[in-house]
Amino acid sequence: MKPIKRSRTGTVPEFHSQTGGRIDEKWVGFLLLLPSLAAVAVFVYGFIGWTGAVSFTRWNSLVPDWSWAGWENYLRLFGNFRFQSDLRNTVVFTILFIAVCMILGLTLAVLLDRKLKGEHLFRNIFIFPMALSFIVTGVVWQWIFNPSTGVNLFLGKMGVEDPPVWYVDTRILPGVEWGEIQAGIPLALIPVVIAAVWQLSGFTMAMYLAGLRGIPDEIREAARVDGAGEWQVLRQVILPLLRPVTLSVIIILGHISLKIFDLVVAMTGPGANFVTDVPGVYMFEATFRGNHYAQGAAIAVIMLVMVSLLIIPYLVSNMRKEADL
Amino acid sequence: MSLKPGRLASYLTLLLAAIFFLIPVYVMVITSLKGLEEATLDRMWELPASLRWESYAVAWEKLSPHLMNSLYLAVPATIFSALLGSLNGYVLSKWRFKGADSLFTLVLFGMFIPYQSILIPLIQFLQKIQLYNTIPGLILVHVIYGIPITTLIFRNFYAGIPDEILEAAKIDGNGILGIYRRIILPLSVPGFVVVGIWQFTQIWNEFLFAVTLTSSSQHPVMVALQNLSGSQIVQWNIQMAGALLAALPTLLIYILLGRFFIRGLLAGSLKG
Amino acid sequence: MGKGFRWVSLALSLALVWTVTACGGSTPEGDSAGDNKEVEIFSWWTGAGEEAGLKALIKLFAKENPEIKVKNAAVAGGAGTNAKAALATRMQGNDPPDTFQVHGGSELNDSWVAAGKMEPLNGLYEEQGWKNKFPSELIDLVSKDGKIYSVPVNIHRGNVLWYNKKIFEENGVEPPKTFDDFFQAADQLKKKGIIPLALGDKELWTATHLLETVLLGKLGPENYNQLWTGELALDDPKVKDAVKTFKKMLTYTNKDHAARNWQDAAQMVAKGDAAMNVMGDWAKGYFTTDLKLKPNKDFGWVPTPETEGSFMVITDTFGLPKGAKNPEATKEFLKVLGSVEGQDTFNPLKGSIPARVDANPDKYDEYGKETIEAFKHSKLTPSLAHGSAAPEGFVTGTNQAVNSFVTQGNIDAFVKTLKQHFKQAKK
């Protein structure tokens, strides 16, 4: 097939403005939106419904089987060692990732806000990982934390006898028995958290920096006049004002981390004893490797529920706020 | 040099952070510039004895068709989703009808969903319309799932254009589209740059759709890179050269247009 | 309504049409009806030896069929798992490749054939007189209800233990025949600070591969085969005993096994970082073609402990899916694939042995000749890790259970999980 070549600007008819029909204009606006609305209705909501339906079927082989399975797929998942590990890993990963990003991002933002020399350069260095793909990040960091390359070569040269094995460490601290799994922090996740922090703490910094720049100097000055030290100004004046930014950061980083997939695939895979597995990877493998479509759909639905718990209250309150304006 | 201890500490912290951020770059660059025999384990962290480009030649041979795939994908998808987003953002910011905000919120939700939750029907749908395992199929997907973010950015952008200008144009007899074409579009260039950079970067770097909706020769570059890596069967220097090649387009955009990139970052992160 | 609306909608629909069509140039196949001038070959042969074999085969085919273009649609990664996923989606979308690589046994019969997605090839077998050119057990492996569904191109042996000759000689270690031998040798090597057994289970199937060779050794071929027919329960004391041996073997492996894939593990033996490795004989292709090692000089091999006389068979086969665009061209390709010349072109490079019984042994190296003999005189057993023994669902479940077991080592829980998965998969 040949591309339809037509100069788009060439065929533009001269514009004759029409008077009247002003009442129609909002209706025209709606019509303009309609293709997008329809696309979102089908591709987001319709497909979510479809996935939900699949998750209640017995379609767990190559051939679609639409017979009703009830909650079978979900019940099986929640009793499953791998899925329980995934939930633990997601919670641990999300908390560590957001916490470290926030601390690092806020620190860097506060430092940069002091108008130091070279601010521009530093800012650019901190943000550039955002331009990279999680795949590139994963490829590089998996080399750095590979037990036989990267950091360990360095440690070996410095005479460290028994270097850590990083992302293949199977220890879980403190490792309390809980259901089928051990609850706690899987040590193998820490390198993955570091890679994710590397990628997104610059973004966090940019958010905070924008927030800081939005705070008028007079407010700080007023606090200083009242005799507050720099630290107190920061804690008692600046941080409370940054609360909306913190909320945004939590929402953005949280939804990224709850659905993380590419970074884990590129860096570690599911890992020994599933210490670095996440629902995104399990969904992919169950669906596209094991041909367990219903199972995969159930995992996807659970992922969606987790993200929704975070996002929907935020979206709704945002909408209300705008309506009040 | 008379630095106050506070300033010195600030600089030291920033410097340490900068080193942390640059280590992976150092690793990528020095490893990729080494020859095969030099890329052995015990000399990994050292600077290369001489600059060798052969790993780039090998990586290029393996990745170049996929780099082209990514280009054919990202450029049209970016253009179309920016156009759609501009139109949507214009209507939603300047022609708000009853219920528009609720609709917008519903659209916005599409930006946050884990795409795993639409993947199975999406694949079936693309198969039905014969676009599975094609670049146009991927373009369609990225345009549709790009609607929320592009609409959001343009909506916020157009909110900054004063309504008085529109009123004046209305009095001159322009309709909704006349105003769009004559007033809004000419003012939209910065918006298009921001959205364009954002979408191009996102689409170029995307992996889940790429790996599930295409196979072998149609794979965009990130999937090809992932297949190249993760094992010592492909030499480290080639893996790193490949990573750098795959990252280069978005890195260049960042270096050349960083200002707009950061603006997109912030615009895409919702107004709290 | 202004004319502008028409303009915008025109532009938008043009844009969409352009999206769908203009870029169509980069997608050659589209939905074009085949004219039998092309054949698309789908495989996961992208490693050095296998890719060379495939290319040589394609070259041979092109010489005999210059009018047919070959499209090599090999999907890299994951020892076939990436390819199988891509294949599944294409098959469900009724966009099958003209022919695709599939292991004989359950992977072919319980999935594609059961789903009615394959054309029977009995006609081709008759026409080419193949029925007595392949061993009948092998034809059984690619048949269901009397219909033959694919053409085997090669045979790989799964139960091979590879060892570094230099390490063995320097330490006065003999290649182990029994598990006792193995543990004795392993202890001896461990004392010298050498890693006795290299494992690379970043991709989960490799640990299952090791386990199945232990099962075969401990149970013997009859009992092993009974596991997959359901005649021997997976929580039988004999199975538990085998799992115990497997667990003990794991204590002799490298600490970073989860960061390595099978080639990385084989490389440890090649470089002398580890003494032994259990892997299918595609590892030989990796040793000789990729790493340029000399068989029986740099590395040696024996059947895995207590499996002498058994042959864990993995056979790559190619079939004709229903709805293939170029069925006639594909049959021409399958003819070349099943011919003596085709098999003797492909297999020496790939490092496998021919599936035909009348191929020329002189074309094969020392290992190949030995294995061709062993193939003729051994009991054949289907591999679990490679999808020949049991349905995909059970293989996936087993891989997951093994992955946990390698770390946890809970034998009772492990066999219980296996039994559950087996019940589910057979349902």
Side-chain angles (χ1 to χ4, degrees), chain B residues 99-164:
Chain B
D101 284 349
S102 310
L103 275 178
F104 177 60
T105 304
L106 283 172
V107 170
L108 216 49
F109 180 65
M111 181 171 129
F112 296 100
I113 58 165
Y115 292 131
Q116 279 89 349
S117 66
I118 46 90
L119 207 49
I120 295 170
L122 181 65
I123 288 173
Q124 293 179 307
F125 173 79
L126 287 180
Q127 282 163 348
K128 275 264 150 58
I129 62 168
Q130 305 268 9
L131 286 182
Y132 176 71
N133 193 22
T134 64
I135 298 297
L138 268 187
I139 293 174
L140 183 73
V141 168
H142 280 292
V143 169
I144 288 172
Y145 292 103
I147 288 174
I149 180 76
T150 55
T151 303
L152 169 73
I153 298 178
F154 271 113
R155 183 175 173 270
N156 288 345
F157 178 78
Y158 291 141
I161 296 177
D163 287 342
E164 290 77 43

Side-chain angles (χ1 to χ4, degrees), chain A residues 109-189:
Chain A
V110 168
L111 292 180
L112 286 182
D113 194 40
R114 298 172 134 194
K115 313 232 157 66
L116 298 172
K117 256 193 204 136
E119 179 213 323
H120 202 65
L121 179 69
F122 279 121
R123 208 182 53 194
N124 282 335
I125 290 175
F126 298 152
I127 298 178
F128 93 90
M130 267 302 282
L132 301 184
S133 160
F134 267 130
I135 299 295
V136 172
T137 305
V139 168
V140 181
W141 282 97
Q142 70 107 8
W143 180 83
I144 294 177
F145 284 120
N146 187 309
S148 52
T149 61
V151 176
N152 280 2
L153 294 175
F154 218 68
L155 294 178
K157 274 194 183 163
M158 300 197 331
V160 178
E161 283 280 322
D162 212 11
V165 289
W166 305 110
Y167 60 74
V168 296
D169 201 323
T170 52
R171 281 176 296 168
I172 293 156
L173 297 182
V176 194
E177 294 289 331
W178 187 78
E180 301 278 311
I181 59 163
Q182 291 189 301
I185 300 174
L187 294 184
L189 268 183

Side-chain angles (χ1 to χ4, degrees), chain B residues 69 72 76 80 83-84 87 123 127 130-136 139-140 143 177 180-181 185 212 214-219 227 230-233 235, chain C residues 4-5 7-8 12 15-16 18-20 23-24 26-29 31 73-77 82 86 89-90 92-93 202 260-261 263-264 267 271 286:
Chain B
N69 285 344
Y72 290 137
F80 295 134
L83 282 173
L84 261 185
L87 208 58
I123 288 173
Q127 282 163 348
Q130 305 268 9
L131 286 182
Y132 176 71
N133 193 22
T134 64
I135 298 297
I139 293 174
L140 183 73
V143 169
L177 283 159
Y180 179 67
R181 203 176 74 90
L185 263 189
T212 48
T214 59
S215 68
S216 44
S217 64
Q218 304 295 313
H219 273 156
N227 285 337
S231 156
Q232 297 175 28
I233 32 174
Q235 296 289 333
Chain C
F5 177 61
W7 167 66
V8 171
L12 276 180
L16 273 175
W18 186 81
T19 322
V20 177
C23 308
S26 60
T27 58
E29 75 278 292
D31 62 331
V75 174
N82 289 354
T89 7
R90 285 188 62 178
Q92 281 167 2
K202 185 181 187 180
R260 293 173 180 268
N261 64 17
Q263 287 105 325
D264 296 330
Q267 210 175 53
K271 284 186 176 164
Y286 179 62

Side-chain angles (χ1 to χ4, degrees), chain A residues 13 32 34 46 64 91 109 141 152 161 172 183 209 231-232 243 288 297:
Chain A
L32 286 176
L34 204 57
V91 170
W141 282 97
N152 280 2
E161 283 280 322
I172 293 156
L209 196 56
W231 180 245
Q232 278 171 309
R243 217 169 273 157
F288 302 109

Side-chain angles (χ1 to χ4, degrees), chain C residues 386-427:
Chain C
H386 302 280
S388 297
E392 187 67 43
F394 179 68
V395 180
T396 319
T398 305
N399 283 341
Q400 288 185 17
V402 171
N403 187 35
S404 300
F405 178 77
V406 169
T407 306
Q408 297 172 355
N410 186 336
I411 296 172
D412 289 322
F414 174 62
V415 292
K416 207 180 105 201
T417 315
L418 284 195
K419 206 180 169 189
Q420 271 171 10
H421 283 306
F422 196 69
K423 224 171 80 191
Q424 273 167 24
K426 285 282 173 177
K427 204 162 53 179

Side-chain angles (χ1 to χ4, degrees), chain C residues 307-319:
Chain C
T307 63
E308 179 101 58
S310 299
F311 198 110
M312 189 75 80
V313 61
I314 294 126
T315 175
D316 288 308
T317 73
F318 283 80

Side-chain angles (χ1 to χ4, degrees), chain A residues 62-78:
Chain A
L62 285 165
V63 200
D65 174 356
W66 294 98
S67 62
W68 181 255
W71 292 94
E72 202 178 285
N73 292 308
Y74 292 91
L75 289 177
R76 199 180 290 165
L77 272 183
F78 283 111

Side-chain angles (χ1 to χ4, degrees), chain C residues 222-259:
Chain C
E222 281 81 17
N223 278 342
Y224 173 85
N225 282 339
Q226 281 171 349
L227 284 177
W228 318 125
T229 55
E231 291 162 90
L232 184 68
L234 279 155
D235 57 355
D236 190 276
K238 278 182 273 186
V239 176
K240 282 193 193 173
D241 186 46
V243 174
K244 210 171 132 194
T245 306
F246 172 60
K247 185 177 167 180
K248 192 172 171 197
M249 286 175 88
L250 291 173
T251 59
Y252 294 95
T253 55
N254 44 306
K255 232 172 32 172
D256 66 345
H257 56 86

